[in-house]
Amino acid sequence: MSSPSLLSSLPIPITIIIFTIFLIKRLIFTPSTTTTHKNLPPSPQTFPVLGNLHQLGLYPHRTLQRLAQHHGPLMLLHFGSRPVLVASSADAAREIMKTHDVVFSNRPKLNMAHKLLYQARDVSTAPYGEYWRQMRSICVLQLLSPKRVHSFRSVREEETALLTAGTMVMTNAWAIGRDPNLWDQPEEFQPERFLDSEVDFKGNEHFQLIPFGAGRRGCPGIPFAMTSNELVLANLVHKFDWVLPGGAKGDDLDTRECLGLTIHRKVPLLAIARPRLTR
Ligand code: HEM
């Protein structure tokens, strides 16, 4: 007669618990696709159902930057079941926004856009296609052209060999803007670094600075934004001296960020304007 195995000698609930732990471990520690899936960009380990969502934390731009340092400038994550390709270098951004921008010109379907923006009928969330093309050309030619701004005065889908159709793409412009391979002392505020520099912010050739995005879904409001920004900034600097309340200095500022539609200051900047020009 054979002796009973260790498992069969245990009470049933304990056997079930051990089996469940074993299953969960197998599911949780699915190996990274860095080495297992040929032709796919590297991926961090995924968690069942959540994918990589649980890893994003409060500051996804920072988490993605850290993951990219480990897995490379083009990596594949999963937000739940949705594959998400994350670009974290200027070269990767160029591939997506210039070389293959037809393929990546759609927008994700967002409930918010359908509910608030007339079934995503506005130009920024409209799916890539004829309707978007017409809206965009009205914007660019009729509303936002340099001439018009000045006058105010006062898919075709190609499938790539690597990715599943429907893969969402995120370009981490924040991480690219801090890439030490591209910028000298990236965390330092040195506006003079742009003097006599070829880098511009329009995303035409230089993808290391892309505040307006780039490619066919890039921001059409650049002339409008730059004209308004320059005017407002020039007036604020020219007409006022600025100090911090209570004699505080720049180093005293709390510069932590906060996540929202865009990343913004966690603690609002309070500054006192002292007029220095009398009319
Ligand atoms: C400093 C100011 C601005 C910044 C930093 C900015 C930035 C951006 C960015 C990052 C995008 C997404 C680009 C992409 O997906 O690749 C975008 C799209 C867009 N922006 Fe701006 N923008 C600014 C001002 C404006 C202004 C003033 C207007 C219009 C009056 C405007 C109209 C649009 C539109 C319509 C889109 C969607 C384009 C499309 O999906 O085809 N933006 N902007």
Side-chain angles (χ1 to χ4, degrees), residues 192-203:
E192 65 278 9
R193 70 172 84 230
F194 297 107
L195 290 174
D196 300 323
S197 155
E198 283 189 347
V199 176
D200 76 3
F201 51 82
K202 294 179 185 162

Side-chain angles (χ1 to χ4, degrees), residues 43 137 146 157-158 179 185 226 273:
S43 302
S137 93
E157 283 207 348
E158 265 172 48
D179 185 343
Q185 298 182 291
M226 290 317 294

Side-chain angles (χ1 to χ4, degrees), residues 65-168:
Q65 181 194 41
R66 211 173 45 246
L67 287 173
Q69 282 159 1
H70 189 69
H71 296 279
L74 207 56
M75 58 182 177
L76 185 64
L77 267 60
H78 285 83
F79 291 177
S81 60
R82 181 189 281 266
V84 180
L85 182 69
V86 182
S88 308
S89 74
D91 286 341
R94 176 183 286 105
E95 284 294 302
I96 284 161
M97 295 171 149
K98 189 167 184 181
T99 316
H100 301 292
D101 79 328
V102 180
V103 183
F104 296 116
S105 284
N106 216 342
R107 292 281 197 223
K109 278 190 187 145
L110 301 174
N111 274 344
M112 181 274 292
H114 275 258
K115 290 199 169 125
L116 295 181
L117 301 170
Y118 308 94
Q119 278 88 41
R121 306 296 280 175
D122 76 301
V123 64
S124 62
T125 56
Y128 182 63
E130 193 46 38
Y131 173 80
W132 166 80
R133 216 183 311 278
Q134 287 186 20
M135 290 282 283
R136 171 104 183 183
S137 93
I138 293 171
C139 270
V140 172
L141 299 175
Q142 306 298 334
L143 299 173
L144 300 172
S145 69
K147 195 172 158 207
R148 179 70 70 174
V149 169
H150 185 71
S151 76
F152 295 151
R153 195 151 209 189
S154 51
V155 134
R156 187 174 64 78
E157 283 207 348
E158 265 172 48
E159 193 172 321
T160 66
L162 302 178
L163 300 168
T164 327
T167 298
M168 191 164 91

Side-chain angles (χ1 to χ4, degrees), residues 9 20 33 38-39 46 55 97-98 143 154 162 166 181 190 207 231 243 249 260 266 274:
S9 66
T20 312
T33 56
K38 253 194 350 189
N39 282 344
T46 54
Q55 292 173 310
M97 295 171 149
K98 189 167 184 181
L143 299 173
S154 51
L162 302 178
N181 296 316
Q190 296 174 357
F207 288 78
L231 189 70
V243 289
K249 299 275 173 244
K266 190 168 187 174
R274 294 200 181 121

Side-chain angles (χ1 to χ4, degrees), residues 4-12 14-16 18-19:
S5 74
L6 179 63
L7 266 187
S8 58
S9 66
L10 292 172
I12 288 176
I14 294 188
T15 311
I16 291 175
I18 291 177
F19 184 67

